[in-house]
Amino acid sequence: MAYMSMSTRDPYPFEKYDSDNDFRGKADLSNRSYKLPTHLDQQKDPWNRLNATETLQSVRRKAAHYDPQAPNDALDFELKTVYNQHADLFAGSNQVRYQTETVGLPHDRILKNKTSQFRLPYDPMYPPLRIATQERRLNPNSVKGAIGGPHTEITNPGYSRKPGDGGIFTT
């Protein structure tokens, strides 16, 4: 019998990529040196700023977090729904459990890490003029309600010292 030997010729003569060194060439390690060690570099921005800023989810994961509006059990969850049995008589079982946050109705909960932009009702360059009005007309000759001091005009037509003010005219 004739012995048939297997051919050792590779039918796919293209270069085979065995590792990253073959695929991309030799890695240049001189370019990878960092100026500071990792523990010092993490104390600078942007890493420190991103790490120090808490997200809503990270705050809610803390043990000391308490949300008074969160439902305590399934009954509370069902009671806080927007379902109205008179208006939504044949609603589906998923529509019965819709919450105010899901539907988009106004609520007091913060759902996203967004700061709301407060807009003034007027342009700050041109604020509206306010006209001050007095409730009653004050008598300019009255000294009632005046701030007391060492000199008053109550005793004489001119200024004189109050008795007992600690000055040299105290008897």
Short mmCIF file of all heavy atoms in Angstrom, two decimals, residues 6 9 11-12 17 24 27 37 42 44 47 49 52 56-57 59 63 72 93 98 100 119 125 134 137 144 148 151:
data_model
loop_
_atom_site.label_atom_id
_atom_site.label_comp_id
_atom_site.label_asym_id
_atom_site.label_seq_id
_atom_site.Cartn_x
_atom_site.Cartn_y
_atom_site.Cartn_z
N MET A 6 0.70 13.42 4.86
CA MET A 6 -0.04 14.69 4.92
C MET A 6 0.89 15.81 4.49
O MET A 6 2.07 15.80 4.80
CB MET A 6 -0.51 14.97 6.35
CG MET A 6 -1.53 13.95 6.84
SD MET A 6 -3.09 14.10 6.00
CE MET A 6 -3.66 15.63 6.60
N ARG A 9 2.35 21.84 4.07
CA ARG A 9 2.22 23.19 3.54
C ARG A 9 1.01 23.87 4.18
O ARG A 9 -0.05 23.28 4.29
CB ARG A 9 2.05 23.12 2.03
CG ARG A 9 1.92 24.45 1.38
CD ARG A 9 1.84 24.29 -0.13
NE ARG A 9 1.49 25.54 -0.73
CZ ARG A 9 0.26 25.93 -1.02
NH1 ARG A 9 -0.75 25.13 -0.79
NH2 ARG A 9 0.04 27.10 -1.57
N PRO A 11 -2.04 26.15 4.12
CA PRO A 11 -2.90 26.70 3.06
C PRO A 11 -3.15 28.20 3.23
O PRO A 11 -3.58 28.87 2.30
CB PRO A 11 -4.18 25.91 3.18
CG PRO A 11 -4.20 25.40 4.56
CD PRO A 11 -2.78 25.26 4.98
N TYR A 12 -2.92 28.72 4.43
CA TYR A 12 -3.11 30.15 4.68
C TYR A 12 -1.75 30.76 5.02
O TYR A 12 -1.33 30.78 6.16
CB TYR A 12 -4.08 30.37 5.84
CG TYR A 12 -5.41 29.70 5.62
CD1 TYR A 12 -5.75 28.55 6.31
CD2 TYR A 12 -6.31 30.22 4.71
CE1 TYR A 12 -6.95 27.93 6.10
CE2 TYR A 12 -7.52 29.61 4.49
CZ TYR A 12 -7.85 28.46 5.20
OH TYR A 12 -9.04 27.85 4.98
N TYR A 17 -0.99 36.10 14.07
CA TYR A 17 -0.79 37.00 15.19
C TYR A 17 -1.01 36.21 16.47
O TYR A 17 -2.14 35.84 16.80
CB TYR A 17 -1.74 38.18 15.10
CG TYR A 17 -1.60 38.95 13.81
CD1 TYR A 17 -2.64 39.07 12.91
CD2 TYR A 17 -0.38 39.54 13.51
CE1 TYR A 17 -2.49 39.77 11.74
CE2 TYR A 17 -0.23 40.25 12.34
CZ TYR A 17 -1.28 40.36 11.46
OH TYR A 17 -1.12 41.05 10.30
N ARG A 24 0.94 44.34 17.08
CA ARG A 24 1.20 45.77 17.00
C ARG A 24 2.67 46.10 16.93
O ARG A 24 3.03 47.26 16.86
CB ARG A 24 0.64 46.47 18.23
CG ARG A 24 -0.86 46.37 18.32
CD ARG A 24 -1.39 47.18 19.45
NE ARG A 24 -0.55 47.02 20.65
CZ ARG A 24 -0.89 47.40 21.86
NH1 ARG A 24 -2.05 47.96 22.03
NH2 ARG A 24 -0.09 47.23 22.88
N ALA A 27 6.06 46.78 22.17
CA ALA A 27 5.52 47.89 22.94
C ALA A 27 6.64 48.80 23.41
O ALA A 27 7.68 48.33 23.86
CB ALA A 27 4.74 47.36 24.14
N PRO A 37 3.39 58.98 41.34
CA PRO A 37 2.77 57.70 41.66
C PRO A 37 1.25 57.83 41.70
O PRO A 37 0.70 58.93 41.81
CB PRO A 37 3.33 57.35 43.05
CG PRO A 37 4.25 58.43 43.42
CD PRO A 37 4.26 59.46 42.36
N GLN A 42 -3.97 60.70 42.17
CA GLN A 42 -5.41 60.64 42.40
C GLN A 42 -5.90 61.76 43.30
O GLN A 42 -7.10 61.93 43.47
CB GLN A 42 -5.78 59.29 43.03
CG GLN A 42 -5.68 58.16 42.04
CD GLN A 42 -5.95 56.82 42.69
OE1 GLN A 42 -6.02 56.70 43.89
NE2 GLN A 42 -6.13 55.81 41.87
N LYS A 44 -5.33 64.87 42.60
CA LYS A 44 -5.44 66.04 41.74
C LYS A 44 -6.68 65.91 40.86
O LYS A 44 -7.26 64.85 40.72
CB LYS A 44 -4.19 66.16 40.86
CG LYS A 44 -2.94 66.43 41.65
CD LYS A 44 -1.77 66.62 40.71
CE LYS A 44 -0.54 66.98 41.49
NZ LYS A 44 0.60 67.16 40.60
N TRP A 47 -9.49 63.55 38.60
CA TRP A 47 -9.86 62.34 39.34
C TRP A 47 -10.41 62.69 40.71
O TRP A 47 -11.43 62.15 41.13
CB TRP A 47 -8.66 61.41 39.49
CG TRP A 47 -9.05 60.05 39.93
CD1 TRP A 47 -9.31 59.00 39.12
CD2 TRP A 47 -9.25 59.60 41.26
NE1 TRP A 47 -9.65 57.91 39.87
CE2 TRP A 47 -9.62 58.25 41.20
CE3 TRP A 47 -9.15 60.18 42.50
CZ2 TRP A 47 -9.90 57.50 42.31
CZ3 TRP A 47 -9.43 59.43 43.62
CH2 TRP A 47 -9.79 58.10 43.52
N ARG A 49 -11.82 65.48 41.74
CA ARG A 49 -13.11 66.16 41.62
C ARG A 49 -14.22 65.16 41.34
O ARG A 49 -15.30 65.23 41.92
CB ARG A 49 -13.04 67.20 40.51
CG ARG A 49 -14.33 67.92 40.25
CD ARG A 49 -14.15 69.00 39.20
NE ARG A 49 -13.36 68.60 38.07
CZ ARG A 49 -13.86 67.98 36.99
NH1 ARG A 49 -15.13 67.68 36.94
NH2 ARG A 49 -13.08 67.67 35.99
N ALA A 52 -14.75 63.00 44.56
CA ALA A 52 -15.33 63.70 45.71
C ALA A 52 -16.79 64.05 45.49
O ALA A 52 -17.52 64.26 46.45
CB ALA A 52 -14.53 64.96 46.00
N LEU A 56 -26.40 60.68 43.29
CA LEU A 56 -27.59 60.35 44.07
C LEU A 56 -27.56 58.89 44.50
O LEU A 56 -27.94 58.54 45.62
CB LEU A 56 -28.85 60.62 43.25
CG LEU A 56 -29.19 62.09 43.04
CD1 LEU A 56 -30.36 62.21 42.10
CD2 LEU A 56 -29.50 62.75 44.35
N GLN A 57 -27.09 58.03 43.62
CA GLN A 57 -27.05 56.60 43.94
C GLN A 57 -26.04 56.30 45.04
O GLN A 57 -26.31 55.50 45.93
CB GLN A 57 -26.72 55.79 42.69
CG GLN A 57 -26.84 54.30 42.87
CD GLN A 57 -28.25 53.88 43.23
OE1 GLN A 57 -29.22 54.50 42.83
NE2 GLN A 57 -28.37 52.84 44.00
N VAL A 59 -25.13 58.32 47.43
CA VAL A 59 -25.68 58.83 48.69
C VAL A 59 -26.75 57.88 49.21
O VAL A 59 -26.84 57.61 50.41
CB VAL A 59 -26.26 60.25 48.48
CG1 VAL A 59 -27.03 60.71 49.69
CG2 VAL A 59 -25.16 61.23 48.18
N ALA A 63 -25.34 53.88 54.69
CA ALA A 63 -26.15 53.31 55.76
C ALA A 63 -26.96 54.38 56.48
O ALA A 63 -28.04 54.11 57.00
CB ALA A 63 -25.25 52.58 56.76
N ASN A 72 -42.62 52.09 52.56
CA ASN A 72 -42.10 51.12 53.52
C ASN A 72 -42.40 49.68 53.10
O ASN A 72 -41.63 48.79 53.36
CB ASN A 72 -42.68 51.38 54.90
CG ASN A 72 -42.22 52.71 55.46
OD1 ASN A 72 -41.12 53.14 55.16
ND2 ASN A 72 -43.07 53.35 56.22
N SER A 93 -52.69 45.98 34.75
CA SER A 93 -52.06 45.81 36.06
C SER A 93 -50.78 46.63 36.19
O SER A 93 -50.40 47.02 37.28
CB SER A 93 -51.76 44.33 36.31
OG SER A 93 -50.85 43.86 35.35
N TYR A 98 -48.40 52.82 38.46
CA TYR A 98 -47.63 54.00 38.08
C TYR A 98 -47.52 54.97 39.25
O TYR A 98 -48.49 55.27 39.93
CB TYR A 98 -48.30 54.74 36.91
CG TYR A 98 -48.09 54.12 35.56
CD1 TYR A 98 -48.89 54.47 34.49
CD2 TYR A 98 -47.09 53.19 35.34
CE1 TYR A 98 -48.71 53.91 33.25
CE2 TYR A 98 -46.90 52.63 34.10
CZ TYR A 98 -47.71 52.99 33.06
OH TYR A 98 -47.53 52.45 31.83
N THR A 100 -46.07 58.89 40.72
CA THR A 100 -46.05 60.26 40.21
C THR A 100 -44.74 60.59 39.51
O THR A 100 -44.71 61.35 38.55
CB THR A 100 -46.28 61.27 41.35
OG1 THR A 100 -45.31 61.03 42.36
CG2 THR A 100 -47.65 61.14 41.93
N ARG A 119 -34.09 81.13 37.40
CA ARG A 119 -34.18 82.28 36.50
C ARG A 119 -34.94 83.39 37.20
O ARG A 119 -36.00 83.17 37.77
CB ARG A 119 -34.90 81.90 35.21
CG ARG A 119 -34.10 80.91 34.38
CD ARG A 119 -34.61 80.85 33.00
NE ARG A 119 -34.53 82.19 32.43
CZ ARG A 119 -34.95 82.50 31.23
NH1 ARG A 119 -35.46 81.59 30.47
NH2 ARG A 119 -34.86 83.72 30.78
N MET A 125 -29.94 93.38 34.52
CA MET A 125 -29.39 94.66 34.08
C MET A 125 -30.43 95.78 34.18
O MET A 125 -30.09 96.95 34.33
CB MET A 125 -28.89 94.56 32.64
CG MET A 125 -27.65 93.71 32.49
SD MET A 125 -26.25 94.41 33.36
CE MET A 125 -25.92 95.85 32.40
N GLN A 134 -45.68 104.97 52.04
CA GLN A 134 -45.74 105.02 53.48
C GLN A 134 -47.17 104.77 53.91
O GLN A 134 -48.12 105.29 53.32
CB GLN A 134 -45.28 106.39 53.98
CG GLN A 134 -44.17 106.33 54.95
CD GLN A 134 -43.74 107.72 55.38
OE1 GLN A 134 -44.24 108.72 54.88
NE2 GLN A 134 -42.82 107.78 56.30
N ARG A 137 -48.40 109.09 57.52
CA ARG A 137 -47.44 110.19 57.47
C ARG A 137 -46.91 110.47 58.88
O ARG A 137 -47.68 110.64 59.82
CB ARG A 137 -48.10 111.43 56.90
CG ARG A 137 -47.14 112.51 56.63
CD ARG A 137 -47.84 113.66 55.92
NE ARG A 137 -46.90 114.75 55.78
CZ ARG A 137 -46.51 115.21 54.63
NH1 ARG A 137 -46.99 114.69 53.53
NH2 ARG A 137 -45.66 116.21 54.56
N LYS A 144 -40.67 110.74 69.28
CA LYS A 144 -41.01 109.40 69.75
C LYS A 144 -40.39 108.37 68.81
O LYS A 144 -40.46 108.51 67.60
CB LYS A 144 -42.52 109.21 69.78
CG LYS A 144 -43.21 110.03 70.83
CD LYS A 144 -44.69 109.77 70.80
CE LYS A 144 -45.38 110.60 71.86
NZ LYS A 144 -46.84 110.42 71.79
N GLY A 148 -32.00 106.85 71.27
CA GLY A 148 -31.45 107.64 72.38
C GLY A 148 -29.96 107.79 72.28
O GLY A 148 -29.26 106.90 71.81
N HIS A 151 -27.11 113.26 73.78
CA HIS A 151 -27.76 114.56 73.60
C HIS A 151 -29.14 114.33 73.03
O HIS A 151 -29.33 113.55 72.11
CB HIS A 151 -26.96 115.43 72.63
CG HIS A 151 -25.57 115.71 73.08
ND1 HIS A 151 -25.30 116.60 74.07
CD2 HIS A 151 -24.38 115.20 72.69
CE1 HIS A 151 -23.99 116.65 74.27
NE2 HIS A 151 -23.40 115.80 73.44
#
